[in-house]
Amino acid sequence: MPVFHYPADSQTNGTAISYIPVSSQSHPQESGGPSSSPTRQPRGHATDPDCNDLDHEALPTKMDEDEDEDEEEEEEEGWEDEESKRQKRLEQNRKAAHESRQRKKIKYQQLSEALEALRAESLQLSQQSQSMREQLAATRPTRHSQERARLEEENQRLRQALLLALQGLAEDEEEEPIEEEREGGQGEGHSALREEEESKEGNTSVTRAPMLE
Amino acid sequence: MPVFHYPADSQTNGTAISYIPVSSQSHPQESGGPSSSPTRQPRGHATDPDCNDLDHEALPTKMDEDEDEDEEEEEEEGWEDEESKRQKRLEQNRKAAHESRQRKKIKYQQLSEALEALRAESLQLSQQSQSMREQLAATRPTRHSQERARLEEENQRLRQALLLALQGLAEDEEEEPIEEEREGGQGEGHSALREEEESKEGNTSVTRAPMLE
DNA sequence: GAGGATGACGTCAGGAAC
DNA sequence: GTTCCTGACGTCATCCTC
């Protein structure tokens, strides 16, 4: 029951939160009446997950002083004032603490969902990366290099054939020296010139008609 | 009696921490709730934040007198028991709270560094993905088809030249030399010799010119 | 019901920012 | 100096679990 609820203040603002002073009796010990506390609203159990505190650091911090002992009983010239000051401080700190907690909580959950999002992103990124990798692997050696090798080889052969043909021409003789290691070369040598298509997928050769005659 | 140690669980530091219970009594005003036990205990505000956590141990705890010096009339002995129970509870809760805070703190920082790591991973993943994307894009239309076009074109030319050469051989007559297997031989109307004007430029090439329309 | 765990709070101490 | 902010603590209320 002692705890009261903050007036629905979201983190967005915080102004005008009337913090009910605790009426803390301060000083050595408030004690006094067990329930000397006035002005307290019952807290309706809001179950507000707060989640903060995350502390760290710790250092001794000594503070061992006992000087201003006011023993005699005629001091109240400055005390009241002092006390009221203290009350003010406390209240402000109360408020500040609350806000700080709110901030921390928000930060925490943002961080948490950022991580969530990032995890998802990372996952999808990674699988698309994988897919690309495969694609690349499939694309390069197969289509590119393989076909290229074929073309180059054919090229080589043609060059060879041409060379021979030219030699033949130059010698000005007859016969057909170009036998072609591949399939019987002569009669056109077209065999070597076959050319399987290259379309989208490595489908079988379509035997595109060679455009010569 | 009130001194005990936290398990020192933490990996950061293994020192045993002496924990001085506050001897409570506080009952902060409003929380007096049930107004149970006034239990006044002049606790001179010694600020006993144990300041544990990191190093700093030992801290001889003096002044832990028994708090029950009630010599004057003890009319309620039942209360004493009650009170001691309460003290025990408080102490335990104190300990539990501390541990809970530690856990939370650790959880938080784990989460935090997990996010850090994931962020890094995501970054690198994303740039390698980008690189692949480029590679893929560059590989398909450019390297592949461009070079392939070149090869094929050359191929065509060679074919053409060879054809002519063979024709020349077959006719076995006059000899117009078809020197130049490379560049020569154009202008046959075979159209197979499309020139390569588009290659170098990063043209779209999406249309993937079929070399013989 | 007893006991542990935890959200929320108020308080203090000490650093930061004005 | 002053205020503001926040880590750490102790306490309470509450939720689970046994």
Side-chain angles (χ1 to χ4, degrees):
Chain A
M1 35 298 299
V3 188
F4 65 94
H5 206 265
Y6 287 108
D9 96 63
S10 220
Q11 72 295 356
T12 58
N13 158 355
T15 61
I17 307 176
S18 69
Y19 282 79
I20 298 97
V22 149
S23 93
S24 79
Q25 188 14 312
S26 85
H27 247 55
Q29 92 301 7
E30 54 23 84
S31 80
S35 59
S36 66
S37 65
T39 75
R40 263 303 87 104
Q41 350 201 118
R43 159 236 271 237
H45 181 284
T47 334
D48 22 341
D50 168 336
C51 236
N52 53 359
D53 248 52
L54 307 176
D55 34 37
H56 87 180
E57 185 265 327
L59 66 170
T61 93
K62 192 53 251 79
M63 200 314 195
D64 178 333
E65 52 67 29
D66 53 331
E67 24 91 16
D68 60 80
E69 278 307 322
D70 45 70
E71 286 9 272
E72 310 339 297
E73 64 277 6
E74 78 281 7
E75 349 287 22
E76 22 297 33
E77 73 283 3
W79 155 357
E80 284 238 356
D81 190 17
E82 193 75 18
E83 182 53 19
S84 109
K85 239 174 183 152
R86 174 187 153 79
Q87 284 314 313
K88 180 155 173 271
R89 224 168 27 84
L90 282 187
E91 175 172 332
Q92 278 182 164
N93 188 239
R94 205 146 52 218
K95 179 172 177 298
H98 178 73
E99 284 164 3
S100 181
R101 276 182 217 120
Q102 295 293 98
R103 274 193 294 269
K104 187 183 287 195
K105 173 170 141 191
I106 288 174
K107 198 170 108 197
Y108 183 87
Q109 65 196 31
Q110 279 180 341
L111 191 144
S112 179
E113 64 199 34
L115 185 128
E116 192 75 21
L118 228 142
R119 215 188 285 270
E121 178 190 324
S122 182
L123 183 102
Q124 117 172 21
L125 213 54
S126 119
Q127 60 197 29
Q128 106 180 15
S129 183
Q130 176 63 13
S131 136
M132 272 179 169
R133 204 190 318 281
E134 285 165 7
Q135 199 172 334
L136 214 52
T139 246
R140 205 195 358 224
T142 300
R143 268 246 289 278
H144 182 61
S145 41
Q146 177 174 306
E147 181 158 347
R148 176 194 143 102
R150 184 184 64 72
L151 280 170
E152 246 166 289
E153 184 186 337
E154 186 168 351
N155 221 318
Q156 202 70 348
R157 267 204 296 269
L158 284 168
R159 242 185 268 269
Q160 192 72 12
L162 180 58
L163 185 62
L164 289 179
L166 288 176
Q167 280 177 349
L169 261 183
E171 287 173 16
D172 199 36
E173 298 173 3
E174 69 297 6
E175 78 299 284
E176 53 301 342
I178 309 132
E179 80 298 303
E180 258 316 320
E181 76 285 8
R182 199 31 183 261
E183 340 219 322
Q186 103 282 24
E188 225 23 51
H190 284 65
S191 61
L193 310 186
R194 280 188 59 248
E195 160 170 354
E196 54 267 37
E197 85 15 286
E198 69 304 318
S199 70
K200 294 327 165 230
E201 40 184 1
N203 62 349
T204 62
S205 60
V206 185
T207 43
R208 205 145 59 50
M211 66 297 292
L212 34 127
E213 74 271 10
Chain B
M1 107 315 237
V3 183
F4 67 95
H5 294 134
Y6 280 125
D9 46 82
S10 185
Q11 68 295 353
T12 57
N13 156 1
T15 64
I17 307 150
S18 65
Y19 197 79
I20 312 146
V22 152
S23 105
S24 74
Q25 164 287 304
S26 57
H27 274 108
Q29 48 297 3
E30 76 286 32
S31 78
S35 76
S36 61
S37 69
T39 77
R40 151 188 47 66
Q41 171 83 288
R43 172 60 188 181
H45 183 292
T47 62
D48 45 280
D50 61 354
C51 334
N52 47 9
D53 273 7
L54 304 184
D55 42 87
H56 187 71
E57 44 103 351
L59 180 55
T61 83
K62 60 184 301 309
M63 86 184 303
D64 56 3
E65 318 304 325
D66 279 351
E67 23 105 356
D68 49 324
E69 69 283 354
D70 45 48
E71 284 69 62
E72 57 281 27
E73 69 271 323
E74 45 276 346
E75 68 276 17
E76 304 99 325
E77 61 285 348
W79 133 356
E80 210 175 289
D81 189 19
E82 192 76 19
E83 181 54 16
S84 108
K85 243 181 180 144
R86 174 186 151 78
Q87 285 313 316
K88 181 154 175 268
R89 221 166 32 83
L90 283 186
E91 177 176 324
Q92 275 179 177
N93 187 241
R94 206 146 52 218
K95 179 171 178 299
H98 178 76
E99 285 163 1
S100 181
R101 276 181 218 122
Q102 293 294 97
R103 274 192 294 270
K104 187 183 288 193
K105 174 171 141 192
I106 288 176
K107 198 170 108 196
Y108 182 86
Q109 63 196 32
Q110 281 179 343
L111 189 144
S112 179
E113 62 198 37
L115 185 129
E116 192 75 21
L118 226 142
R119 215 188 287 270
E121 178 190 324
S122 182
L123 183 101
Q124 116 171 22
L125 212 53
S126 121
Q127 61 197 27
Q128 104 179 16
S129 181
Q130 176 62 13
S131 139
M132 271 179 171
R133 203 188 321 279
E134 283 165 9
Q135 199 171 331
L136 214 52
T139 246
R140 204 182 10 206
T142 304
R143 256 235 312 277
H144 181 60
S145 97
Q146 173 176 312
E147 180 159 347
R148 173 183 190 291
R150 184 183 66 72
L151 280 171
E152 256 174 82
E153 183 182 328
E154 188 170 348
N155 229 324
Q156 281 305 30
R157 271 203 291 267
L158 284 168
R159 238 186 279 264
Q160 194 65 27
L162 180 58
L163 183 61
L164 290 180
L166 288 175
Q167 279 177 348
L169 262 183
E171 288 172 12
D172 198 35
E173 306 167 1
E174 74 289 29
E175 58 310 314
E176 68 292 359
I178 309 166
E179 84 305 355
E180 241 340 295
E181 72 286 12
R182 195 55 176 227
E183 296 283 335
Q186 85 290 11
E188 288 71 20
H190 278 64
S191 81
L193 311 184
R194 291 184 56 244
E195 56 294 329
E196 66 285 11
E197 72 294 327
E198 77 299 326
S199 60
K200 292 299 155 275
E201 183 53 353
N203 60 355
T204 62
S205 79
V206 179
T207 56
R208 205 177 148 281
M211 65 298 294
L212 48 104
E213 57 277 17

